[in-house]
Amino acid sequence: MEAEQLKGTQAKIKAFEAKKEALMSMGGEKMITKQHELGKLTARERLDLFFDKGTFQEVQLFVKHRSTLFGLDKKDINADGVITGFGKVNGRTVFTAAQDFTSSGGSLGEMHARKIWKIMDMALDARKPFVSMNDSGGARIQEGVPALDGYGGIFYRNTIGSGYIPQITAIMGPTAGGAVYSPALTDWVFMIKKTSYMYITGPDVIKAVIGEEVTHDDLGGAVAHATKSGVCHFATENDEDCINKLKLLLSYLPDSCHNPLPLVSCSDSPDRECPELDGIIPDKASRGYDMKMVVTAVADNHEIFEPHEMWAKNMLVAFIRIMGQTVGVIANNPKFGAGVLDVNASDKASRFIRFCDAFNIPLLTFSDVPGYMPGTKQEWSGIISHGAKLLHAYAEATVPKLTVVTRKDYGGAYIGMCSKYLGADYVMAWPSAEIAVMGAEGACNIIYRREIASAEDPAAKRAELVALYESQFNNPYFAANMGIIEEIIAPRDTRKRIATLLDALKDKAEVRLPKKHNNIPL
Ligand code: HXC
């Protein structure tokens, strides 16, 4: 009797294992080959690369769709086209949903969405990062409105989880229509050159509606979104590169807003001098230099990780570590457009600042900014509102905020780059700093217009007045005398000073007025 029972149980286990194996084969050999021919990995292969070996735990593999329309009653879709679960990435728990294009195009139906809801809810309850790997033809057309509602539930979770756990999307295939909005609601969007695209309406619709002709890639490929729209933060080369960079980003982030920042062991001394910075400011004020070299010089082991590398290059944002702990850097980059503030630069910096503040990442600002970009293009694009985002983001941030003025720091842009009264905890300036309402030439043209025009030698008079203005304002001493900057430092001491200050400010607690939430000028 017992032996017979055992036989029955073993048969059940065997049947279970066979079912499981069938489900795990996803869209089958033919579709997998097609996926590989497109230069893409399958969802399972991606998860194998992403998670530490043997740590991935799949959730809800047996979920099936329950749709009966348009022949779906006769169609099995393994795992309903999405693999959900959790595992360890470099030893830390991460939750994920990976759509599998080989199973009915990874199309999102009701149950597919419910699997994603479940894993997002688990991530939120567990207070761990959520990574979505998207490779899908979008809403499952045969299912109709339950599929659309599936997206609604994802957007809802993206939103209530915003600022609570880090949320990252990797676009690893097509993403069209409203499906683009979950990625846009997450903190970070990765794309893959040539094999991924995102758009609200595709090339065919665009041609039919407005007669414009454009390819998929030009319209919504990784390079388009990394250089033109700014929708993509990281344009990667292929699936492997994308997954490696996902892991790198995660290494800088805490599990949630309630967890400490990751601490990496650091052999780079906090006292390391950066003598290369003493010679970085060009003799001529009109010459640019690469602010990335400054950021790299001060960072632990000279390592920086830069989102939006190809978009709004006049503003640089980056994660670095100081004494092994994550710091968010915001810096004007005079190498591009003199480091001017414009609509895109303001948006790029504001979003980065808000992300860092949400996750308790201290802010380090390097300022070398001639002002806001003038002209109708910027005014009519709303530089007033976009620039205001930057002010709002800095002022509302309660993390430690350090500012280093390397050279120009003029006008409204001076205020906008985390000046003292916008809320910086500590402002430092290099001896090359110029802090004023505007540059000497422009200022003299306005305040000495009459004196210059009526002078015997207007050019000589102009030069004399410019020199006078420069001696007054083109240095950090006026601001230091007023206590507007705390310290003038030699460039070579910048890392040392930052390390000391971050250590001193690590327990900073700033309390804000009790209210529901701010109303950032979006
Ligand atoms: C159901 C879909 C599907 C979809 C793809 N498939 N997209 N099934 N609903 N949305 C299925 C195909 O029928 C096919 O099934 C399999 O996936 C592979 O698709 P192919 O077309 O053979 O692949 P390919 O030639 O590579 O073309 C990929 C594609 C194309 C460009 C993505 O599939 C496509 O245009 N799909 C529809 C895209 C779309 O318009 N989606 C709706 C967007 S609107 P079989 O059984 O043959 O293997 C939307 C609204 C969301 O998503 C709103 C949220 C608020």
Side-chain angles (χ1 to χ4, degrees):
M1 182 66 185
E2 261 183 25
E4 243 172 59
Q5 236 175 23
L6 193 63
K7 230 166 122 191
T9 306
Q10 277 169 349
K12 280 181 184 171
I13 291 172
K14 250 190 160 159
F16 152 71
E17 279 167 349
K19 271 183 191 205
K20 190 172 164 189
E21 201 182 316
L23 287 174
M24 290 188 63
S25 69
M26 305 305 285
E29 276 310 312
K30 211 171 122 206
M31 296 307 287
I32 291 173
T33 304
K34 192 176 160 195
Q35 179 87 344
H36 288 162
E37 282 168 358
L38 290 171
K40 301 196 294 180
L41 298 175
T42 64
R44 288 204 183 281
E45 289 163 343
R46 288 168 180 159
L47 295 176
D48 278 349
L49 283 178
F50 184 56
F51 287 108
D52 300 348
K53 207 172 163 43
T55 64
F56 180 62
Q57 164 73 54
E58 188 159 352
V59 175
Q60 295 190 330
L61 170 68
F62 282 82
V63 164
K64 289 169 85 146
H65 73 78
R66 52 183 175 175
S67 191
T68 54
L69 300 173
F70 300 100
L72 276 190
D73 52 336
K74 295 182 194 68
K75 189 167 179 174
D76 284 330
I77 302 172
N78 285 341
D80 211 35
V82 62
I83 302 167
T84 54
F86 58 91
K88 300 274 186 194
V89 174
N90 293 324
R92 294 170 57 201
T93 301
V94 176
F95 287 75
T96 191
Q99 293 178 313
D100 186 71
F101 197 83
T102 71
S103 311
S104 266
S107 56
L108 182 144
E110 177 202 10
M111 300 308 284
H112 176 123
R114 281 176 185 273
K115 286 181 71 174
I116 299 176
W117 296 356
K118 166 67 189 169
I119 209 68
M120 290 180 79
D121 289 342
M122 280 184 80
L124 286 166
D125 289 344
R127 305 202 301 201
K128 297 284 185 257
F130 175 68
V131 172
S132 183
M133 299 189 190
N134 294 19
D135 189 358
S136 165
R140 191 171 295 152
I141 297 162
Q142 302 93 318
E143 290 200 24
V145 74
L148 298 182
D149 282 337
Y151 280 112
I154 295 171
F155 301 166
Y156 175 77
R157 285 165 176 78
N158 286 141
T159 306
I160 57 159
S162 174
Y164 189 68
I165 54 169
Q167 298 182 64
I168 306 173
T169 310
I171 308 290
M172 307 184 94
T175 303
V180 297
Y181 283 115
S182 173
L185 286 166
T186 58
D187 299 305
W188 304 104
V189 176
F190 287 70
M191 291 187 76
I192 300 170
K193 291 177 192 168
K194 305 246 167 39
T195 54
S196 75
Y197 54 86
M198 297 172 83
Y199 39 65
I200 296 279
T201 49
D204 294 345
V205 177
I206 290 179
K207 189 163 180 212
V209 178
I210 58 169
E212 196 179 306
E213 288 196 34
V214 64
T215 64
H216 286 277
D217 206 42
D218 284 349
L219 176 66
V223 173
H225 282 308
T227 59
K228 292 189 168 82
S229 71
V231 166
C232 167
H233 299 95
F234 301 96
T236 62
E237 299 303 320
N238 51 40
D239 285 29
E240 286 86 350
D241 185 38
C242 180
I243 287 165
N244 287 336
K245 294 211 166 97
L246 278 172
K247 294 196 214 183
L248 186 56
L249 174 61
L250 283 164
S251 76
Y252 285 92
L253 309 184
D255 289 345
S256 80
C257 66
H258 294 296
N259 291 82
L261 292 176
L263 184 63
V264 171
S265 74
C266 173
S267 54
D268 197 354
S269 166
D271 292 329
R272 173 170 58 79
E273 290 197 342
C274 311
E276 66 274 34
L277 296 184
D278 284 352
I280 201 163
I281 300 291
D283 288 339
K284 266 187 112 170
S286 56
R287 272 217 196 112
Y289 61 97
D290 193 355
M291 189 63 96
K292 205 181 287 191
M293 289 168 69
V294 178
V295 180
T296 308
V298 301
D300 282 0
N301 305 320
H302 303 274
E303 283 167 7
I304 84 168
F305 187 53
E306 192 184 348
H308 271 155
E309 200 176 350
M310 296 192 278
W311 184 64
K313 291 176 170 183
N314 39 331
M315 179 68 83
L316 183 159
V317 299
F319 292 111
I320 62 169
R321 291 190 183 91
I322 298 282
M323 294 182 299
Q325 206 154 57
T326 309
V327 174
V329 176
I330 305 96
N332 312 111
N333 195 347
K335 187 178 174 192
F336 302 100
V340 74
L341 275 180
D342 57 12
V343 166
N344 289 347
S346 303
D347 282 6
K348 174 173 170 176
S350 310
R351 185 144 173 85
F352 184 74
I353 292 163
R354 295 195 98 214
F355 176 83
C356 290
D357 187 49
F359 291 102
N360 305 307
I361 297 171
L363 298 171
L364 170 61
T365 301
F366 288 99
S367 181
D368 186 345
V369 60
Y372 287 92
M373 183 71 186
T376 51
K377 193 165 168 247
Q378 285 293 310
E379 291 292 350
W380 295 343
S381 302
I383 182 68
I384 295 173
S385 317
H386 292 274
K389 289 180 201 173
L390 185 61
L391 304 175
H392 192 117
Y394 268 129
E396 78 171 342
T398 55
V399 289
K401 293 180 279 193
L402 306 180
T403 301
V404 181
V405 182
T406 60
R407 190 173 60 172
K408 297 172 201 167
D409 210 15
Y410 290 142
Y414 147 77
I415 306 169
M417 291 306 292
C418 205
S419 57
K420 183 179 177 105
Y421 292 107
L422 197 64
D425 293 296
Y426 200 91
V427 182
M428 291 162 273
W430 289 359
S432 46
E434 304 168 13
I435 306 172
V437 174
M438 61 173 70
E441 301 278 343
C444 290
N445 285 344
I446 296 169
I447 58 177
Y448 296 126
R449 187 182 303 147
R450 258 178 254 116
E451 285 90 328
I452 292 170
S454 61
E456 222 165 86
D457 182 347
K461 185 71 185 167
R462 199 165 178 285
E464 178 199 323
L465 293 168
V466 164
L468 183 69
Y469 184 95
E470 281 176 348
S471 68
Q472 182 66 41
F473 288 129
N474 278 11
N475 59 64
Y477 301 106
F478 183 75
N481 295 156
M482 306 275 296
I484 291 166
I485 57 175
E486 270 63 52
E487 215 188 335
I488 301 169
I489 58 168
R492 83 181 82 89
D493 291 333
T494 308
R495 174 178 160 84
K496 278 205 280 193
R497 208 51 108 252
I498 291 165
T500 307
L501 285 159
L502 287 174
D503 184 53
L505 292 169
K506 65 176 185 291
D507 295 324
K508 178 190 171 187
E510 214 171 293
V511 178
R512 292 284 190 253
L513 296 173
K515 61 181 155 182
K516 196 164 175 203
H517 60 69
N518 283 9
N519 184 17
I520 188 165
L522 295 173

